[in-house]
């Protein structure tokens, strides 16, 4: 499909603001979180021009792969320019039919695969438009201890709150892992909660159709009776709507807890209290037709568990540290980027490694154990020196490269002729002199410790 425009062009009759049914001065959010005035005209808000343009902009920013129809995000503006009137009429009439999602498996950091359901770009656009209408209504009613997929809240905020609980003396954590949460969401339970908050039957019907949209795998559409596919913009909000009941119950009981999506940690002062809380959570989740993964859940010391990639030290004043599994994943990724069989230049390796490290630092740079960052930084440079040494291959090339970089003749000859392997020689005086830290700085590789 040839791209004609980069902007959403709505037909002239759609460019005015559609009526919302809300009177001037009417509150959009009720203090009690129940059904609010104006929620029977939500679909008119979804199709408003400003909302639609904002949704298209966000979908294009998020990019993502095509769904079952093959349409890319760059082709979406032209498609909407040609078909928006028809799509709008279907949404307002309550007859819009989502297409099946495309199954896509991605490897999980702890092994195995996570199954994503990729909606078409058009359905991602519609879901985003719905999200922009629902989120301002729902989000203010959620618990202050819930952080996942909420505007203005980050994983770091959740980790810092957990740290505060530990500092206050709550040195036992009830760490709950839900078994295949997004795959096990019960449609009837979720829709019951939405129906208590939304009066617009068209909106409820469309969300139900999104939940029940089949999954296409190998050209065959498989019907779905539970779960909300990871991959659509609306799924995170629906997850928070469902799990908000657990948050409210924990608040009612006065527990110190923090939740990020389906990861929930409750902090208590004794193992016995932790066991009682664990039993309570089992009952609460069972009420929502969800199951606790007993193998991955535990009542334990916080420094024995991980939360969002971090753990904590056992000091009197606990500090944030990078969880051991996150360190393992870091090394696996660096090994992958610097492996000998890649057959790419050191400049290409540096470019890809720098991109990964910048993202990693942006998250794990919040660690309060600089010695770990220093150790990983030194390990990464040693890995790079080893990769370069392998690329030089023959002894004559190695000798010439060392001499070119100012290494003395005797030391260069001794190192180039050594029988030791690349990893050991990467720590040798010759390579440290020939490939100093400043060399890697010149390649644009950032330092984990934030040094020069």
């Amino acid at each position: 499909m040839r791209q004609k425009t980069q902007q959403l062009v709505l037909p002239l009759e759609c460019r005015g603001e559609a009526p919302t049914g809300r009177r001037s001065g009417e509150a959009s959010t009720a203090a009690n979180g129940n059904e609010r005035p104006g929620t029977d005209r939500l679909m008119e808000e979804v199709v408003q021009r400003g909302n639609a343009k904002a949704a298209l902009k966000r979908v294009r920013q998020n990019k993502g792969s095509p769904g079952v129809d093959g349409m890319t995000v760059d082709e979406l503006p032209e498609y909407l320019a040609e078909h928006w009137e028809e799509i709008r009429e279907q949404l307002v009439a309550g007859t819009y039919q989502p297409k099946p999602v495309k199954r896509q498996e991605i490897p999980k950091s702890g092994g195995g695969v996570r199954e994503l359901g990729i909606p078409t770009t058009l359905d991602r656009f519609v879901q985003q438009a719905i999200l922009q209408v629902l989120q301002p209504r729902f989000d203010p009613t959620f618990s202050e201890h819930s952080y996942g997929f909420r505007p203005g809240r980050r994983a770091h905020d959740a980790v810092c709150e957990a740290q505060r609980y530990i500092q206050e003396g709550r040195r036992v954590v009830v760490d709950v892992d839900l078994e295949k949460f997004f795959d096990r969401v019960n449609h009837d339970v979720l829709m019951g909660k939405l129906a208590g908050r939304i009066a617009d039957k068209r909106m409820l019907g469309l969300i139900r159709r999104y939940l029940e949209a089949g999954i296409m795998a190998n050209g065959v559409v498989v019907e779905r009776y539970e779960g909300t596919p990871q991959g659509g913009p609306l799924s995170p909000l629906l997850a928070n709507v469902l799990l908000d009941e657990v948050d409210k119950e924990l608040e009612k009981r006065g527990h110190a807890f923090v939740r990020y999506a389906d990861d929930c940690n409750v902090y208590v002062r004794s193992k016995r209290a932790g066991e009682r809380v664990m039993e309570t959570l089992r009952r609460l989740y069972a009420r929502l037709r969800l199951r606790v993964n007993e193998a991955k859940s535990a009542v334990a010391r916080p420094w024995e568990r991980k939360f969002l990639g971090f753990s904590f030290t056992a000091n009197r004043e606990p500090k944030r540290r990078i969880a051991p599994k996150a360190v393992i994943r870091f090394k696996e990724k660096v090994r992958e980027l610097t492996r000998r069989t890649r057959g790419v230049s050191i400049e290409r390796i540096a470019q890809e490694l720098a991109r990964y490290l910048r993202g990693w630092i942006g998250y794990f740079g919040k660690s309060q154990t600089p010695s770990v960052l220093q150790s990983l930084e030194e390990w990464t440079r040693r890995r790079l020196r080893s990769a370069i040494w392998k690329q030089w291959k023959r002894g004559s090339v190695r000798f010439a490269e060392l001499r070119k970089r100012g290494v003395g003749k005797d030391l260069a000859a001794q190192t180039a002729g050594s029988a030791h392997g690349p990893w050991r020689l990467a720590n040798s005086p010759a390579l440290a002199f020939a490939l100093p830290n400043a060399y890697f700085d010149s390649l644009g590789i950032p330092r984990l410790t934030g040094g020069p």
Side-chain angles (χ1 to χ4, degrees):
M1 182 183 296
R2 186 172 57 87
Q3 185 175 342
K4 295 179 180 177
T5 178
Q6 299 295 317
Q7 297 181 341
L8 172 58
V9 181
L10 303 181
L12 290 176
E13 60 270 26
C14 302
R15 295 186 182 182
E17 296 298 322
T20 65
R22 180 179 297 150
R23 295 186 298 273
S24 175
E26 207 167 40
S28 63
T29 303
N32 61 9
N34 293 325
E35 182 181 313
R36 292 165 297 280
T39 61
D40 59 338
R41 301 285 289 175
L42 294 179
M43 202 58 75
E44 278 71 18
E45 294 185 40
V46 168
V47 300
Q48 283 180 2
R49 180 172 180 262
N51 188 61
K53 289 184 69 175
L56 176 60
K57 181 179 180 181
R58 177 56 62 90
V59 168
R60 298 196 69 202
Q61 286 174 340
N62 292 342
K63 300 180 181 179
S65 58
V68 296
D69 61 356
M71 186 192 301
T72 67
V73 291
D74 290 330
E75 294 171 331
L76 180 60
E78 180 184 4
Y79 183 87
L80 287 173
E82 296 175 2
H83 300 280
W84 173 244
E85 182 177 0
E86 176 187 355
I87 294 167
R88 180 187 181 280
E89 288 176 355
Q90 291 176 357
L91 289 169
V92 172
T95 60
Y96 180 84
Q97 250 344 103
K99 288 185 169 59
V101 298
K102 182 174 70 175
R103 185 171 71 180
Q104 181 171 319
E105 294 181 344
I106 60 172
K108 295 173 66 174
S109 57
V113 296
R114 174 178 287 110
E115 186 175 293
L116 299 183
I118 308 299
T120 64
T121 53
L122 176 59
D123 282 327
R124 294 207 295 274
F125 161 76
V126 175
Q127 284 193 36
Q128 180 64 37
I130 294 172
L131 176 67
Q132 292 167 181
V133 170
L134 294 185
Q135 193 160 51
R137 288 174 163 82
F138 280 84
D139 196 82
T141 70
F142 290 151
S143 168
E144 63 177 305
H145 307 291
S146 167
Y147 290 89
F149 310 115
R150 297 184 61 188
R153 288 173 167 249
R154 306 172 304 159
H156 291 143
D157 300 325
V159 173
C160 288
E161 182 170 1
Q163 184 179 12
R164 286 194 296 272
Y165 290 144
I166 301 168
Q167 289 173 338
E168 292 169 1
R170 295 178 173 88
R171 302 249 162 168
V172 174
V173 61
V174 184
D175 185 1
V176 178
D177 183 272
L178 293 179
E179 191 173 289
K180 296 183 177 179
F181 169 70
F182 283 95
D183 296 333
R184 295 278 169 82
V185 169
N186 183 279
H187 293 173
D188 292 333
V189 173
L190 175 58
M191 291 307 303
K193 294 189 175 301
L194 290 170
R197 305 280 300 273
I198 297 173
D200 192 326
K201 303 301 183 184
R202 300 164 299 174
M203 176 72 78
L204 293 171
L206 180 54
I207 293 175
R208 168 74 82 164
R209 290 193 292 277
Y210 271 122
L211 291 173
E212 295 179 346
I215 299 176
M216 179 170 285
N218 301 320
V220 178
V221 177
V222 180
E223 293 184 352
R224 186 172 63 236
Y225 300 101
E226 64 177 1
T228 174
Q230 296 185 68
L234 201 52
S235 291
L237 176 65
L238 299 180
N240 279 332
V241 169
L242 182 65
L243 294 174
D244 187 57
E245 178 178 323
V246 176
D247 296 344
K248 293 299 194 293
E249 186 62 31
L250 290 173
E251 286 181 339
K252 180 180 175 182
R253 293 168 182 253
H255 287 304
F257 74 97
V258 58
R259 181 175 67 81
Y260 192 95
D262 56 325
D263 288 335
C264 182
N265 280 6
V266 185
Y267 293 86
V268 296
R269 298 182 186 273
S270 70
K271 190 79 177 286
R272 181 176 295 181
E275 296 293 353
R276 289 197 299 268
V277 171
M278 178 66 84
E279 189 55 38
T280 297
L281 286 170
R282 288 191 184 100
R283 291 196 301 269
L284 290 174
Y285 287 125
R287 189 188 302 170
L288 298 176
R289 311 282 181 87
L290 298 170
R291 283 188 287 191
V292 172
N293 186 330
E294 300 292 346
K296 294 184 178 180
S297 303
V299 177
R301 297 294 186 181
W303 42 90
E304 297 171 352
R305 308 294 292 178
K306 66 179 179 67
F307 181 54
L308 303 178
F310 287 91
S311 186
F312 304 94
T313 64
N315 304 0
R316 183 181 181 88
E317 293 292 330
K319 297 184 182 299
R320 295 186 302 275
R321 66 182 178 92
I322 304 168
K325 287 187 177 179
V327 172
I328 292 171
R329 288 196 296 270
F330 172 87
K331 289 189 172 183
E332 288 175 346
K333 183 63 175 180
V334 173
R335 285 192 186 99
E336 175 190 333
L337 292 173
T338 59
R339 69 181 185 272
R340 180 181 183 179
T341 55
R342 292 196 67 200
V344 298
S345 67
I346 188 61
E347 289 76 17
R348 171 74 179 277
I349 290 174
Q351 182 182 29
E352 295 178 4
L353 180 61
R355 188 182 306 119
Y356 169 71
L357 292 180
R358 281 192 290 269
W360 193 90
I361 294 167
Y363 188 78
F364 287 106
K366 304 293 183 181
S367 165
Q368 294 175 312
T369 52
S371 61
V372 176
L373 294 174
Q374 179 67 35
S375 175
L376 290 176
E377 184 175 279
E378 292 171 356
W379 180 87
T380 300
R381 287 197 293 260
R382 186 173 178 181
R383 180 77 190 177
L384 284 165
R385 291 186 180 105
S386 176
I388 294 170
W389 188 251
K390 291 175 186 176
Q391 286 190 351
W392 289 345
K393 294 182 180 178
R394 297 186 305 275
S396 59
V397 175
R398 290 170 173 172
F399 176 79
E401 291 289 348
L402 291 174
R403 291 289 291 143
K404 185 168 66 176
R405 286 165 170 78
V407 178
K409 184 176 181 181
D410 292 343
L411 181 57
Q414 179 186 349
T415 306
S418 173
H420 293 307
W423 179 247
R424 180 167 176 177
L425 288 173
N427 228 20
S428 68
L431 280 180
F433 186 89
L435 302 171
N437 297 346
Y439 170 71
F440 299 115
D441 293 341
S442 71
L443 290 176
I445 298 174
R447 299 195 182 192
L448 303 186
T449 53

